Amino acid sequence: MDLTALARRREVVLLVLIALLLAAVGARAPVFLTPASLGDVLTDTAILLMLACGQMAVILTRGIDLSVASNMAFTGMCTALLSKYHPELPIAVTLALAPLIGFCLGAVNGALIAWVKIPPIVVTLGTLSAYRGMIFILSGGASVVTHEFSRPYLDFPRQSLFGVSALLWIALVVCAGMAVFLNFSRTGRSLYAVGGNPLAARYVGIGIERCQFLVYCLSGAIAGLCGYLWVSRYAIAFTEVAFGYELTVIAACVIGGVSVAGGIGSVSGCLLGGLFLGIIGNALPVIQVSPFWQMAISGFVILCAVIVNSRSEARKGKLILRETEPPVPAPLQVRPETPS
């Protein structure tokens, strides 16, 4: 079975698990399966889905971005302060400025990883703390609360079109754009090559450093956009916004079939992984299950996903060895000499 078929089978299994989870929760609390409740679940999960798509691009190149939540919190604080002190600012300016700030923060990660050659986990672990500290310096340790925001700042994500919230429409555009980029652009396909076999990618002329810089900028821009959406949705900005959320984002990718070894993953898998976590996060409180069980269930699912990924990659390695095994030379045949 090739990798594409294996990935599709995993996505089908994950989709079945989501359906079974919904059925089990619906049997306990039928109100959870109402259209309004399911719409709320999708809206609550929208930010996670966008961040997972950005994180997936990073993991495809054998990287990791632990600073996405800090990036999101810093950008959210920047836009919140702008809304507080400049309430006349058009919402279009905020929507343009948020991903730009996130892009700059991601560019710092990308430059250090691509050209200074510092390991991704070291760089992003450092910027995780640095960006959190910058929030405290920027805000003076104070929070921005509901009544200090301008109305357009708070109202935009809550607007709806055809019964769907603006937040969900934005997530749809971001995820669809990422799918098109990865599947139909030359640069997007290059990310798979960089993660699958960096040496071969360099031999065929793919700029590995350029790809690495690009994915961290992309992840940062998405995190910046999500920073505004998060603060606007919950109507508060403070230093600890989304603290630890980067682990949930990585979990969504791993559950969705993205290989931490790089080169394997799909946007549809990420969406299913994020949706699975979103349903767990919204369903367990409804059926009065402790949040600690939510963490335990998520951890168990992540371990299962990692085991499946490892077995798939081992199987892929065996297939490659089998296909590239040199043919056994045919034995030499000695013809008897004919008498002259």
Side-chain angles (χ1 to χ4, degrees):
M1 180 181 296
D2 61 8
L3 293 180
T4 302
L6 186 62
R8 294 303 177 197
R9 188 177 70 175
R10 288 194 52 176
E11 291 172 8
V12 170
V13 171
L14 188 54
L15 189 60
V16 171
L17 288 177
I18 290 173
L20 292 176
L21 179 62
L22 287 173
V25 176
R28 180 78 179 271
V31 68
F32 188 77
L33 296 182
T34 60
S37 179
L38 292 178
D40 290 340
V41 171
L42 289 175
T43 302
D44 286 339
T45 314
I47 292 177
L48 174 60
L49 300 181
M50 288 186 280
L51 291 172
C53 287
Q55 185 73 243
M56 171 194 163
V58 173
I59 297 176
L60 282 178
T61 61
R62 300 191 177 187
I64 195 77
D65 189 357
L66 299 176
S67 68
V68 286
S70 298
N71 182 330
M72 185 168 65
F74 178 80
T75 306
M77 178 59 76
C78 289
T79 60
L81 292 175
L82 281 174
S83 176
K84 177 180 178 180
Y85 294 111
H86 299 280
E88 75 284 356
L89 201 66
I91 193 63
V93 175
T94 302
L95 288 172
L97 194 59
L100 179 60
I101 296 172
F103 178 92
C104 294
L105 298 180
V108 173
N109 290 335
L112 292 173
I113 292 166
W115 289 295
V116 185
K117 302 299 182 184
I118 304 176
I121 192 170
V122 176
V123 170
T124 57
L125 190 60
T127 53
L128 178 153
S129 300
Y131 296 161
R132 287 284 175 186
M134 288 165 57
I135 302 172
F136 185 85
I137 295 172
L138 181 66
S139 64
S143 302
V144 181
V145 294
T146 305
H147 68 276
E148 296 177 304
F149 292 101
S150 66
R151 289 313 312 174
Y153 185 97
L154 295 179
D155 290 343
F156 176 74
R158 294 172 173 79
Q159 295 177 0
S160 62
L161 179 65
F162 304 118
V164 179
S165 67
L167 179 57
L168 203 54
W169 279 115
I170 294 172
L172 179 63
V173 170
V174 170
C175 295
M178 182 64 73
V180 171
F181 169 70
L182 291 176
N183 292 317
F184 300 104
S185 73
R186 182 175 180 179
T187 302
R189 301 308 301 171
S190 297
L191 302 183
Y192 286 92
V194 169
N197 192 328
L199 185 60
R202 191 179 295 278
Y203 279 153
V204 299
I206 295 175
I208 294 179
E209 290 79 11
R210 181 178 62 86
C211 289
Q212 289 175 329
F213 180 74
L214 172 65
V215 294
Y216 285 96
C217 291
L218 188 60
S219 175
I222 294 175
L225 175 62
C226 291
Y228 157 65
L229 296 173
W230 181 293
V231 171
S232 176
R233 176 168 175 73
Y234 297 106
I236 187 170
F238 59 103
T239 307
E240 303 301 318
V241 161
F243 187 80
Y245 200 66
E246 61 276 350
L247 300 181
T248 304
V249 175
I250 296 171
C253 294
V254 173
I255 292 173
V258 181
S259 172
V260 293
I264 299 174
S266 67
V267 171
S268 57
C270 277
L271 298 182
L272 290 173
L275 188 59
F276 182 83
L277 292 178
I279 292 173
I280 290 179
N282 285 271
L284 295 188
V286 171
I287 59 177
Q288 299 179 348
V289 176
S290 168
F292 295 103
W293 275 107
Q294 176 184 338
M295 297 171 62
I297 293 172
S298 300
F300 176 75
V301 173
I302 292 170
L303 286 176
C304 293
V306 171
I307 291 172
V308 172
N309 284 346
S310 300
R311 292 178 61 87
S312 301
E313 289 161 18
R315 187 180 301 113
K316 181 187 74 169
K318 292 179 181 179
L319 288 173
I320 291 174
L321 288 175
R322 189 177 303 138
E323 291 172 358
T324 58
E325 185 178 354
V328 178
L332 295 175
Q333 295 181 358
V334 180
R335 295 182 180 180
E337 296 183 358
T338 57
S340 56

